[in-house]
Amino acid sequence: RLCLFPHTSNRQACPSKHFQRNIHKKTTTKMCRPTSFRGLDAKDGGVVAAAPSRSIGVGLLVLLADVLLFAIYVPGYVFFRIAELIVLASSFPVQCASTAVAGLLLLQFGPSSCSGGPSLPRRHLIAVALLAALTYLTDVALPSPPPMELARGKTVVITGANSGIGYETARTLVVEGGSTVVLGCRNERRCADAAGRINAEAAARGDDAGGEAVPLVVDLSSFDSVKAFASGISSLGLKVDALFNNAGYVPSPGTPANSYGLDPAFTSMHLSHHLLTELLLGDHPATLRTVVNTSSGTHHQCALPFAYVPSSLLRRMDMPQLPGCVNESFLWGGVHRSTDGAAYIQSKVANVMHASELPRRHRGGGGDGGVKAAAIDLGWVGTSIRPFMQGNLSPTSLGWMRSAEVGILPVLHALLTPMDGGGENRLAAEGGVVINVLGKVERPFSYPWWKEDGWSGENVGAERMKVLAGKLWDRSEEILQRNGALR
């Protein structure tokens, strides 16, 4: 106290100015160390020593926070949000690069009580703030719901509609939009239960929207079941306005070829949806104008390794997928084999190729404007389709996944918003489009890794994929006709 007040009469009791500077330097240095530090003893000026055990406890808490945030939460966030992050980076490259640089500089050189950058707790706050800003952009600021009055009076057919994205889309269209939705499901009881829940919720609203969910069984592993499903829709007297080819699953490698002598995954996720689309377009030529396929960001794996990995290394990697996945080798060979490790991404890239080719094959259908088609990439969306997505501590509650209400917005845009006219929708005039996780229209196979001259020497460019889309169409028609499913 005497040293703090130099005007005191006992000035001789104060240490020298040089010693005062040493005290300040030592105490500051010691306080910046979260683990054990010792105060100065009495002969150094009477500074009281801090408790070593308390410093060790604080250090352990900081270490635990580091592990939870930077070793667990951030990697999990990036894994589940990778689709949104890629779209953000490609849509706003300058802004994203500037934000990333600013965030890194702030983490390294931000204000702190200690030299050498922010203290660890402050690093946590900065990281959490950046993640919160990203989540706000992808979940609130950038996605926008379409006008639901566009759904009033429409009839939409959805496959895989008793759970997941299919169910959430059907529920929203019926309850909020007043649409009639045909639920296509494999299990009759689950289909009826899903329709009952949706209709009960619509009735509870007490308005006159007039929406209704209609359950109808379809087994996409059977071409006969698909034909019966299409006939059942017509027998109900419904005029279909939009088709949502949504059903899909993650196949187990090694599943043997089915009774048609075909890959079961490719049969269910592509061939049966191709068949259903053609049957409904034939039955409802004047009204069916919109076809939407659920694809996945995993279809980019059909190009990424071939664009950026040398061929010598690719041969040693033993990857299951071929360049472009659905190429000539697969169409005339692999399609007849058992399910392999690339079955899912093969089906998902086929969904994009089908949507891309469909408008070119049906230019005169669906009214004066022709048929519009889109493949959608939803990323990870929190639904009830998988057990780990449920419960109070789920990826959705942690902010890793978007909620179902936000996740289905691209689907609603694809089903309800006209894909003709000006602006970005002009792309629809060139063929089918892709609608990304933010509900924005993209040209198929437009990302940088879909390139003609990749490091591997393989051509997986957009023009090559367009040619393959035409071959996929012709081959699909041939297979379906050979099995008596199409004339």
Side-chain angles (χ1 to χ4, degrees):
R1 189 177 65 179
L2 294 177
C3 296
L4 293 176
F5 300 98
H7 61 272
T8 179
S9 59
N10 289 329
R11 194 179 294 268
Q12 68 277 7
C14 298
S16 66
K17 291 183 178 180
H18 173 74
F19 190 63
Q20 290 182 45
R21 286 195 296 270
N22 286 342
I23 292 176
H24 175 74
K25 182 177 179 181
K26 290 181 180 180
T27 53
T28 302
T29 302
K30 300 299 182 180
M31 289 297 291
C32 289
R33 297 174 185 170
T35 54
S36 62
F37 67 88
R38 290 162 42 183
L40 303 176
D41 56 25
K43 70 179 182 180
D44 287 331
V47 179
V48 180
S53 59
R54 181 179 178 184
S55 297
I56 293 173
V58 171
L60 289 175
L61 287 176
V62 171
L63 178 61
L64 178 61
D66 276 345
V67 171
L68 290 176
L69 181 59
F70 296 111
I72 297 177
Y73 189 84
V74 171
Y77 186 95
V78 172
F79 175 80
F80 286 111
R81 295 272 185 167
I82 188 64
E84 293 96 306
L85 296 176
I86 289 175
V87 170
L88 275 179
S90 63
S91 302
F92 309 99
V94 176
Q95 296 89 331
C96 288
S98 302
T99 302
V101 171
L104 290 174
L105 291 175
L106 192 59
L107 282 171
Q108 185 64 30
F109 303 109
S112 173
S113 59
C114 301
S115 59
S119 60
L120 287 176
R122 189 164 297 173
R123 291 180 190 272
H124 302 158
L125 293 176
I126 293 171
V128 169
L130 290 174
L131 293 176
L134 282 173
T135 304
Y136 176 79
L137 281 174
T138 58
D139 292 9
V140 180
L142 295 178
S144 59
M148 290 308 295
E149 57 266 21
L150 295 175
R152 188 65 56 89
K154 288 186 178 293
T155 298
V156 181
V157 176
I158 301 177
T159 63
N162 65 284
S163 63
I165 291 296
Y167 175 82
E168 295 296 338
T169 303
R171 187 194 68 80
T172 302
L173 289 172
V174 172
V175 176
E176 299 180 21
S179 298
T180 298
V181 179
V182 178
L183 309 185
C185 325
R186 184 174 57 180
N187 185 286
E188 184 175 6
R189 179 183 60 80
R190 292 178 182 175
C191 203
D193 288 346
R197 292 195 304 272
I198 292 173
N199 290 330
E201 186 175 351
R205 286 175 64 96
D207 55 24
D208 58 349
E212 182 184 9
V214 180
L216 206 59
V217 173
V218 59
D219 182 357
L220 293 172
S221 67
S222 166
F223 297 148
D224 289 338
S225 178
V226 174
K227 293 172 66 176
F229 178 70
S231 298
I233 294 171
S234 297
S235 66
L236 292 172
L238 300 173
K239 295 298 181 182
V240 178
D241 298 289
L243 169 62
F244 183 20
N245 292 318
N246 168 69
Y249 69 102
V250 179
S252 300
T255 304
N258 57 24
S259 59
Y260 303 110
L262 300 168
D263 176 353
F266 198 74
T267 299
S268 296
M269 288 190 274
H270 166 68
L271 289 171
S272 286
H273 280 140
H274 182 110
L275 172 61
L276 178 60
T277 302
E278 292 303 295
L279 293 173
L280 291 182
L281 283 171
D283 292 342
H284 309 273
T287 58
L288 180 51
R289 298 193 54 176
T290 302
V291 177
V292 179
N293 296 339
T294 295
S295 183
S296 164
T298 59
H299 82 277
H300 292 298
Q301 294 179 35
C302 297
L304 271 166
F306 305 101
Y308 301 122
V309 180
S311 57
S312 58
L313 184 57
L314 279 177
R315 286 191 292 268
R316 281 179 278 186
M317 292 173 65
D318 193 28
M319 294 187 309
Q321 70 264 41
L322 300 167
C325 287
V326 180
N327 60 11
E328 292 88 352
S329 177
F330 175 80
L331 289 173
W332 277 270
V335 71
H336 295 292
R337 302 192 186 107
S338 60
T339 299
D340 61 18
Y344 184 75
I345 60 176
Q346 286 162 180
S347 297
K348 293 296 106 176
V349 79
N351 296 148
V352 178
M353 296 162 76
H354 176 247
S356 173
E357 186 70 11
L358 179 61
R360 290 190 280 267
R361 301 290 179 135
H362 288 277
R363 292 190 185 277
D368 295 336
V371 177
K372 310 304 180 203
I376 54 171
D377 175 15
L378 300 177
W380 286 93
V381 180
T383 64
S384 59
I385 195 168
R386 297 189 185 182
F388 76 90
M389 296 182 181
Q390 306 173 34
N392 295 326
L393 191 63
S394 65
T396 306
S397 64
L398 291 172
W400 283 349
M401 289 185 188
R402 297 193 295 173
S403 66
E405 292 76 10
V406 176
I408 65 171
L409 291 180
V411 185
L412 298 177
H413 274 288
L415 290 172
L416 302 178
T417 305
M419 286 187 283
D420 48 14
E424 64 183 8
N425 294 328
R426 70 187 185 280
L427 297 177
E430 304 171 9
V433 298
V434 172
I435 296 184
N436 65 31
V437 292
L438 300 181
K440 307 301 181 184
V441 174
E442 297 177 344
R443 186 178 281 106
F445 312 113
S446 59
Y447 282 85
W449 41 83
W450 294 98
K451 55 197 307 183
E452 298 178 359
D453 53 349
W455 293 4
S456 67
E458 299 288 350
N459 181 0
V460 289
E463 286 301 315
R464 163 69 171 160
M465 297 307 296
K466 181 178 178 180
V467 171
L468 288 177
K471 293 183 177 182
L472 169 65
W473 187 282
D474 294 337
R475 181 64 171 146
S476 299
E477 296 269 304
E478 177 189 330
I479 291 172
L480 291 170
Q481 289 170 4
R482 191 180 67 235
N483 285 281
L486 276 180
R487 296 177 183 176

